[in-house]
Amino acid sequence: MSNVFYQEKFEDRHNGPSSAQVEEMLTALGVSSLEELIQQTVPTQIRKKEPLKLPKALSEVAYLEKIAQIAEKNKVFKSFIGQGYHDVVLPGVIQRNVFENPGWYTQYTPYQAEIAQGRLQALLNFQTMVSDLTGLEIANASLLDEATAAAEGMFMLYSARKNKDAHVFLVTPHIFPQTLDVLQTRAVPFGVEIRVADIAVENLTDDVFAAFIQYPAADGTIADYKEFTAYAHDKEITICVATDLMALALLTPPGEWGADVVIGNSQRFGVPMGFGGPHAAFFATKDSFKRNIPGRIIGVTTDANGEYALRMALQTREQHIRRDKASSNICTAQALLAIMASFYAVYHGPKGIQAIASRIHDLTKLADAAIQALGYTQHNKAYFDTLRFDAGDQIGTLKGEALNHEFNFFYLDQIVGISIDETTTFQDIQTIVKVFAKIKGKTAHDVDLNALAAKLQVVIPEELERSSAYLTHPIFNSYHSESEMLRYIKSLEAKDLSLCHSMIPLGSCTMKLNATTEMVPVTWARFGCLHPFAPVDQTSGYMQLINELNDWLCEITGFAKMSFQPNSGAQGEYAGLMVIRAYHHSRGDFDRNICLIPASAHGTNPASASMAGLKVVVVKCDERGNIDVEDLKAKAIEHAANLNSLMVTYPSTHGVFEEPIVEICQIIHDNGGQVYMDGANMNAQVGLTSPGYIGADVCHLNLHKTFCIPHGGGGPGMGPIGVAAHLVPFLPNHEVVEISGEEGISAVSAAPFGSASILVISHAYIAMMGSEGLTNATKYAILNANYIKANLEKHYPVLYAGSNGRCAHEMILDCRSFKQVGIEVADIAKRLMDYGFHAPTVSFPVAGTLMVEPTESESKAELDRFCEALIAIRAEIAAVEQGQADQKDNVLKHAPHTARTVTGDDWDRPYSRQTAAYPVEYLRMNKFWPSVGRVNDSQGDRTLICSCPPIEAYAEA
């Protein structure tokens, strides 16, 4: 046949093994076909007989043409809506070298600090930036969005309250509506009362534990809260403040007038609006709360050589440790976006940030003076960037005229709001004046903008003017030319291992290919520059993309509808449980508060259940790691009157397709409960089975795992939930943009569709893979995992397997016996760095083990290279076991080895430099050097430093 009909398949680019490699791997496994392997792995009773009904797979070129047509349907008008979202100028050096760079967006969360020093430094810069601008001692490395950060602040202050009888969170009426929406959602399970009332001392009654202030307020006003805060503290009431980092370049920071917690969104620092996200929220607090702060904190310590080093500190993954006692279910942060915001601050420096803020403020004052000169009343006496004009009954006419000029203002009753941002120009002010003038029967020529600009009045009260310095560290004062900034970014990138270097074989985290074609549209203005509250008729492209993705994911999962609002997997868990809660309440079942969770579950599961107000009852697992069905049945029957749900991961967290899963679901349903399936391992189901087919009622999907959104060094993530038909009415709604029915729960995230801009990545992946490609990806993931298992089980015990001896898409290597000769699983993890690999998941879900997941994107050659490394390390352990190497002074205990150590003048170790640096031949051609030696975690936790230390500290180090 002629090649004229040939079309290159994206599937062949995404899936790693070639057809010849597949045959070699199947031979090694002793099976005749891939289908035979799948039959041995996936229980017959849950195998779907029909292929996925999805559109025919598109080539990369065809997809880019399709998505460009969809993007054209989005109308990108100039946004003056504000409400927490602003248009930005993303410096090209950051866009090209961070936002569009797989060296930054394919990194994993920095749990292995020695090969993540660049990212950790950028996040430390973010924390320093936030601490400086907010005036508080400690900040974390980002949260999901401003609304959920506010909810985390509320819960932290509630948990730490001194008056345990106080249950009221006093909230200003001038709060962003989406933030209030999320606060109300999160307050309900804990019995916290959200009381919306003026921020006045007479409202600080004895039942109030904390107050929430928006500064500047949602309507743009700014006020002095110093006396109010002092009065509150006298009554042992704490203060949480939502603020704007750009405004704090000019305004007195809340930390200086007594705030206990300051939260907000760093989107304004160079991160596109993206129809709502992803954006990095920030959370700053007093040092006294450092043990309570949610999320991740980057801290300063030293390495084994006494050199400056960074690592994640204190609360790192604390939900995995404390489980249902956790103060938060946060797992995903917004690391990539926090890194971008930090680089924005580094590039502009304090002078640049102040200049941008001053220009925004001056243009706002100019607009104020000009429109008042036309005869309008402006309500804000003191403000930073937002004005409110009374348009009376001409509000509709004014809106129409603004739309004629492709301008979006904010409208509430007869008030029009205008928020100025970094992209606003003098010409934009002229157009705004023209719009307002026409409604008055005047022209723009009736106002002399140049004359008004020459005599702008001060509107920020003296007591609210910032006097303290910020961004004083040399990092923020050294890289202002593009060449300097480029080299700084690249110097940090070079310290981090990413998918650019090697496979990242993390069990439960699925580090698969993030194809360039999937990523390209994210940077387009027609996706990036849209405000989440833009008029519906301007968002047709997004609506088409979201509706198509909804239909495709429903087909893949077997569910009736998706909600895209949750912007992390943990957030999806929480949303799913709140939907189940609403369903039970609609039926009058208000006492169903028992959640059954297997002992092997992800740590976020019990933490999410606790946050949803549920009581966790743990179900036993048998010796093969599977749910003990008899124990499950006994507990379901025991708690039948109060059974809310079962949370189950499938395949199991142990990497096995549990055969009685259909029976497990039926047991829960027979006793009045609902089945929540954790979709962390959905990449082993796609095309072969589905949560809906198995019998689950709700499931979240980690789009940053199964559907190719990159991890970005610890976020962005997306955790949409799919639900069966009976749960559809209860999916999350939104205060600003109605997306669900009257029975829908209130919002779980700030934006109606979560981090909408990155949905295009999953849309691209599904569109280009098609039904056959997606199913093959699942099969190859299972093939790759079993191939690694076959290679390594002669050297390391594999803990769990199915009845036919097969694992699903991941396996657990048991390293516990090595403790007898002093070798810890962490030693293996650190030694793998010398071989150029990121460690598998360490000590989860079983302490002392490694959980390995290769993904379908890795070729046989890469799998062989990884196996060679682990086999070589096993030989190094054997040398210790046989007494050939000392238990304390050996190559594993000293790993990882830096270039500085290996090339230094002194070498007194009982093994050669060659053994340290080049233990296998392939490393001679392609060596990744860890930038620091083994990091001292305990020292860093004892003396927590979570902002950039002074330059003298570097000199001393």
Side-chain angles (χ1 to χ4, degrees):
M1 182 181 287
S2 169
N3 281 337
V4 73
F5 296 107
Y6 171 75
Q7 184 182 54
E8 187 173 67
K9 287 184 175 181
F10 172 74
E11 173 192 347
D12 295 336
R13 301 296 190 187
H14 175 84
N15 291 331
S18 66
S19 56
Q21 290 174 342
V22 168
E23 291 305 316
E24 292 176 30
M25 294 159 75
L26 292 173
T27 300
L29 291 172
V31 293
S32 60
S33 68
L34 189 53
E35 183 55 37
E36 183 182 349
L37 173 64
I38 299 304
Q39 286 176 354
Q40 292 178 5
T41 306
V42 185
T44 305
Q45 64 269 30
I46 65 166
R47 280 289 302 274
K48 291 183 67 178
K49 297 177 176 60
E50 299 296 323
L52 294 170
K53 296 179 178 65
L54 295 170
K56 182 181 177 182
L58 297 175
S59 69
E60 294 179 67
V61 171
Y63 180 76
L64 287 174
E65 290 175 353
K66 171 187 169 78
I67 198 65
Q69 292 169 359
I70 292 175
E72 283 297 315
K73 296 179 182 179
N74 288 330
K75 301 174 184 176
V76 182
F77 287 11
K78 190 81 178 179
S79 177
F80 298 93
I81 298 171
Q83 298 298 293
Y85 300 95
H86 303 271
D87 207 356
V88 298
V89 177
L90 171 56
V93 67
I94 299 174
Q95 174 163 330
R96 174 62 61 89
N97 297 292
V98 182
F99 192 32
E100 299 175 356
N101 181 358
W104 282 99
Y105 65 68
T106 67
Q107 304 155 327
Y108 183 57
T109 308
Y111 296 131
Q112 297 296 335
E114 295 83 356
I115 50 176
Q117 288 295 298
R119 203 165 355 139
L120 288 166
Q121 183 63 61
L123 291 171
L124 188 74
N125 295 349
F126 177 82
Q127 292 177 179
T128 305
M129 171 188 85
V130 170
S131 288
D132 280 7
L133 286 167
T134 60
L136 282 167
E137 297 99 324
I138 187 169
N140 70 14
S142 81
L143 294 178
L144 298 174
D145 58 38
E146 180 168 334
T148 52
E152 294 291 343
M154 173 183 71
F155 185 68
M156 187 188 87
L157 295 176
Y158 178 69
S159 299
R161 72 197 190 282
K162 294 185 177 178
N163 177 7
K164 297 303 180 184
D165 294 327
H167 65 283
V168 171
F169 193 51
L170 181 70
V171 175
T172 174
H174 306 298
I175 183 177
F176 291 139
Q178 67 270 22
T179 303
L180 180 59
D181 208 8
V182 173
L183 284 175
Q184 289 170 330
T185 309
R186 293 281 285 271
V188 167
F190 294 101
V192 172
E193 177 189 337
I194 302 293
R195 182 178 296 167
V196 180
D198 290 336
I199 298 301
V201 293
E202 58 267 24
N203 289 325
L204 292 175
T205 50
D206 291 340
D207 53 1
V208 173
F209 68 86
F212 182 89
I213 297 168
Q214 190 95 36
Y215 171 82
D219 61 10
T221 58
I222 53 175
D224 186 356
Y225 298 104
K226 191 171 185 178
E227 290 185 8
F228 173 85
T229 299
Y231 184 85
H233 285 159
D234 285 344
K235 296 193 68 174
E236 296 188 329
I237 295 170
T238 47
I239 302 295
C240 181
V241 178
T243 192
D244 175 348
L245 289 181
M246 190 64 77
L248 295 186
L250 303 184
L251 301 181
T252 303
E256 291 181 14
W257 45 258
D260 299 282
V261 172
V262 179
I263 62 96
N265 189 352
S266 65
Q267 181 259 319
R268 225 169 172 165
F269 277 39
V271 180
M273 288 188 287
F275 204 45
H279 308 136
F282 60 85
F283 190 110
T285 189
K286 295 177 176 177
D287 186 71
S288 57
F289 288 110
K290 67 186 176 187
R291 304 282 163 178
N292 310 91
I293 189 171
R296 298 165 178 156
I297 306 173
I298 310 307
V300 179
T301 185
T302 57
D303 72 356
N305 306 310
E307 304 286 341
Y308 170 88
L310 303 168
R311 89 287 181 241
M312 294 204 299
L314 295 179
Q315 302 292 322
T316 301
R317 294 197 97 181
E318 57 102 18
Q319 70 272 14
H320 290 289
I321 300 165
R322 300 187 64 202
R323 299 175 73 79
D324 58 308
K325 301 295 191 297
S327 61
S328 170
N329 74 332
I330 288 175
C331 195
T332 308
Q334 296 284 22
L336 179 66
L337 297 314
I339 287 166
M340 287 173 62
S342 77
F343 279 138
Y344 180 94
V346 169
Y347 192 44
H348 288 295
K351 292 180 181 177
I353 296 295
Q354 185 168 41
I356 293 167
S358 296
R359 184 173 173 279
I360 290 169
H361 184 54
D362 286 344
L363 285 173
T364 309
K365 291 193 290 183
L366 179 60
D368 183 15
I371 297 171
Q372 286 204 56
L374 291 169
Y376 290 87
T377 300
Q378 202 280 116
H379 292 275
N380 296 346
K381 292 180 180 178
Y383 54 80
F384 167 61
D385 67 353
T386 298
L387 307 169
R388 290 184 303 146
F389 293 99
D390 194 337
D393 55 11
Q394 292 184 300
I395 188 87
T397 308
L398 191 147
K399 183 177 182 180
E401 186 61 23
L403 291 172
N404 288 340
H405 288 84
E406 298 192 346
F407 278 20
N408 286 330
F409 299 144
F410 178 75
Y411 304 96
L412 184 64
D413 300 324
Q414 295 185 331
I415 301 294
V416 56
I418 298 175
S419 290
I420 304 300
D421 62 44
E422 180 187 7
T423 69
T424 306
T425 64
F426 184 81
Q427 290 72 30
D428 291 331
I429 304 300
Q430 289 178 315
T431 304
I432 291 172
V433 172
K434 183 178 178 181
V435 168
F436 276 83
K438 187 170 182 179
I439 307 306
K440 290 284 190 181
K442 299 179 181 181
T443 71
H445 298 296
D446 292 326
V447 178
D448 187 344
L449 285 177
N450 289 309
L452 290 173
K455 53 180 183 180
L456 294 176
Q457 301 295 309
V458 173
V459 298
I460 297 177
E462 185 177 352
E463 64 271 17
L464 291 181
E465 286 185 350
R466 180 161 197 147
S467 58
S468 55
Y470 52 88
L471 305 182
T472 57
H473 194 276
I475 284 176
F476 299 102
N477 293 275
S478 302
Y479 309 106
H480 302 323
S481 73
E482 182 162 338
S483 57
E484 289 170 328
M485 187 66 191
L486 174 65
R487 289 168 189 153
Y488 180 61
I489 290 172
K490 288 296 179 182
S491 73
L492 296 188
E493 180 190 340
K495 296 179 178 180
D496 278 27
L497 187 142
S498 71
L499 283 175
C500 299
H501 300 96
S502 61
M503 67 182 283
I504 301 180
L506 285 150
S508 188
C509 285
T510 317
M511 299 293 292
K512 62 168 72 178
L513 171 71
N514 315 121
T516 305
T517 300
E518 294 160 3
M519 302 299 297
V520 164
V522 178
T523 65
W524 293 351
R526 287 188 179 270
F527 288 120
C529 296
L530 219 61
H531 194 288
F533 306 153
V536 174
D537 61 359
Q538 297 173 21
T539 65
S540 299
Y542 261 117
M543 291 303 101
Q544 179 181 338
L545 183 146
I546 288 168
N547 288 334
E548 287 182 1
L549 190 54
N550 175 81
D551 293 344
W552 299 345
L553 290 177
C554 284
E555 171 64 18
I556 290 166
T557 60
F559 285 130
K561 193 173 182 182
M562 308 294 301
S563 168
F564 293 98
Q565 196 174 115
N567 48 10
S568 81
Q571 199 82 318
E573 293 176 16
Y574 176 74
L577 292 174
M578 292 299 286
V579 165
I580 289 173
R581 180 181 185 276
Y583 165 75
H584 285 311
H585 285 195
S586 75
R587 295 157 56 87
D589 290 337
F590 295 101
D591 296 325
R592 290 195 173 273
N593 66 343
I594 299 295
C595 183
L596 302 182
I597 299 182
S600 63
H602 285 93
T604 51
N605 287 178
S608 295
S610 177
M611 287 181 60
L614 303 176
K615 180 182 177 183
V616 173
V617 173
V618 177
V619 176
K620 296 176 186 175
C621 290
D622 63 23
E623 67 281 356
R624 294 174 60 189
N626 297 326
I627 293 173
D628 184 326
V629 177
E630 290 306 312
D631 187 56
L632 172 82
K633 189 171 185 178
K635 285 171 178 169
I637 292 171
E638 177 188 353
H639 298 289
N642 305 108
L643 184 61
N644 176 283
S645 52
L646 165 75
M647 295 187 82
V648 60
T649 303
Y650 200 76
S652 74
T653 310
H654 291 145
V656 177
F657 283 96
E658 298 188 45
E659 296 186 8
I661 186 64
V662 175
E663 178 189 355
I664 286 168
C665 292
Q666 191 59 51
I667 289 169
I668 300 303
H669 290 148
D670 288 346
N671 289 280
Q674 296 284 286
V675 176
Y676 177 92
M677 185 171 284
D678 184 320
N681 296 338
M682 185 68 197
N683 52 307
Q685 288 191 42
V686 176
L688 302 180
T689 185
S690 73
Y693 189 76
I694 290 168
D697 300 288
V698 56
C699 175
H700 87 266
L701 302 177
N702 289 330
L703 297 188
H704 51 288
K705 296 183 181 181
T706 303
F707 296 97
C708 289
I709 290 173
H711 279 241
M718 278 291 277
I721 56 172
V723 297
H726 63 283
L727 295 180
V728 169
F730 309 100
L731 286 173
N733 211 331
H734 194 274
E735 181 66 24
V736 181
V737 180
E738 187 173 339
I739 54 174
S740 186
E742 291 182 2
E743 292 183 285
I745 64 171
S746 48
V748 295
S749 300
F753 301 102
S755 297
S757 67
I758 54 175
L759 293 176
V760 69
I761 301 168
S762 300
H763 185 271
Y765 173 63
I766 296 171
M768 293 189 293
M769 290 290 275
S771 172
E772 185 179 2
L774 289 171
T775 305
N776 285 340
T778 307
K779 292 177 179 179
Y780 284 6
I782 292 171
L783 170 65
N784 283 2
N786 280 281
Y787 178 72
I788 286 183
K789 177 176 178 288
N791 278 330
L792 293 182
E793 61 189 354
K794 309 180 200 71
H795 307 275
Y796 299 85
V798 176
L799 268 188
Y800 305 110
S803 57
N804 295 314
R806 302 300 185 190
C807 64
H809 61 301
E810 61 189 6
M811 82 220 67
I812 298 175
L813 305 180
D814 191 352
C815 305
R816 291 173 292 186
S817 65
F818 307 145
K819 284 176 70 75
Q820 296 172 10
V821 292
I823 300 299
E824 303 285 345
V825 68
D827 298 324
I828 301 172
K830 303 308 179 188
R831 181 58 173 154
L832 263 172
M833 297 175 191
D834 288 332
Y835 287 79
F837 285 104
H838 195 292
T841 304
V842 176
S843 290
F844 177 80
V846 180
T849 65
L850 294 171
M851 184 158 62
V852 180
E853 179 180 353
T855 86
E856 72 275 9
S857 300
E858 302 301 340
S859 68
K860 178 178 178 294
E862 185 71 355
L863 303 182
D864 287 340
R865 199 167 70 88
F866 174 69
C867 290
E868 181 185 1
L870 274 178
I871 292 168
I873 289 172
R874 183 64 186 89
E876 294 170 349
I877 297 171
V880 179
E881 290 172 328
Q882 295 160 14
Q884 298 167 4
D886 186 81
Q887 291 191 12
K888 294 182 179 179
D889 190 9
N890 59 64
V891 72
L892 288 110
K893 286 294 183 184
H894 289 301
H897 298 82
T898 65
R900 183 173 179 177
T901 299
V902 173
T903 60
D905 292 336
D906 297 324
W907 186 263
D908 58 357
R909 297 183 180 178
Y911 51 90
S912 68
R913 299 172 194 259
Q914 167 92 12
T915 299
Y918 300 109
V920 290
E921 190 61 29
Y922 69 74
L923 290 168
R924 295 186 177 279
M925 299 295 293
N926 189 17
K927 174 71 177 177
F928 177 89
W929 290 97
S931 58
V932 299
R934 193 172 303 197
V935 165
N936 189 329
D937 288 319
S938 58
Q939 177 203 348
D941 280 347
R942 285 194 304 271
T943 54
L944 178 66
I945 303 169
C946 63
S947 58
C948 297
I951 197 69
E952 294 79 20
Y954 291 93
E956 290 169 9

